[in-house]
Amino acid sequence: MKLSTYNFLTSKAIKGVKVGYPLKLTIAKKDVVETEFNPTFIERLLPKLDWNTVYLAAQTVDLADDIPQEQPAAVADNEELLQRLHHLLLEIDVLEGQLECPETGRVFPITDGIPNMLLNEDEV
């Protein structure tokens, strides 16, 4: 699971959950897979992301020193930051771990890079 995907996942579908975001990410195994840097893609992706969750992901993988806590106004003008965001969001692949609902504590496992977000019948 790429960390860009993590930014979109929520447990709001669970009965009684109002927000369900951001999920608490715990990583047991990760890999770094280099991909071609495309600054335009990162620029277009950023408006769709929640910056606080981007920073939370950076903290989880020990890259908080590389990503500012507050989103800069002109990210598109800072190629170094775009490269760091590219690395964080597209090159770090979570292979094993879990996602936890912040409201219920429900745990969703990540196995072979795939988060299992399926709910039990009594949860919907």
Side-chain angles (χ1 to χ4, degrees):
M1 175 187 80
K2 302 290 183 197
L3 291 177
S4 57
T5 302
Y6 164 64
N7 203 284
F8 295 104
L9 297 176
T10 177
S11 58
K12 191 174 182 176
I14 297 175
K15 183 177 12 178
V17 171
K18 296 200 183 329
V19 179
Y21 184 84
L23 299 171
K24 180 183 177 200
L25 174 64
T26 305
I27 300 173
K29 182 179 178 186
K30 66 181 178 180
D31 195 11
V32 176
V33 180
E34 290 187 28
T35 60
E36 185 178 339
F37 174 59
N38 182 340
T40 304
F41 179 77
I42 299 298
E43 289 173 38
R44 291 182 179 166
L45 179 63
L46 283 177
K48 297 170 177 56
L49 301 178
D50 175 72
W51 189 267
N52 290 332
T53 306
V54 169
Y55 187 73
L56 184 62
Q59 287 177 312
T60 303
V61 294
D62 296 324
L63 293 176
D65 292 340
D66 293 345
I67 306 296
Q69 190 167 0
E70 301 293 324
Q71 183 172 0
V75 176
D77 298 333
N78 186 338
E79 186 161 334
E80 183 180 337
L81 179 56
L82 288 173
Q83 287 178 340
R84 287 189 242 144
L85 288 166
H86 167 84
H87 175 68
L88 173 70
L89 298 170
L90 301 177
E91 293 185 333
I92 296 176
D93 199 5
V94 179
L95 301 175
E96 306 290 331
Q98 67 181 34
L99 299 162
E100 182 180 329
C101 174
E103 294 175 45
T104 65
R106 166 71 149 84
V107 173
F108 301 95
I110 302 169
T111 307
D112 295 327
I114 302 169
N116 182 348
M117 301 293 293
L118 294 174
L119 299 176
N120 298 319
E121 199 172 305
D122 62 331
E123 294 176 305
V124 291

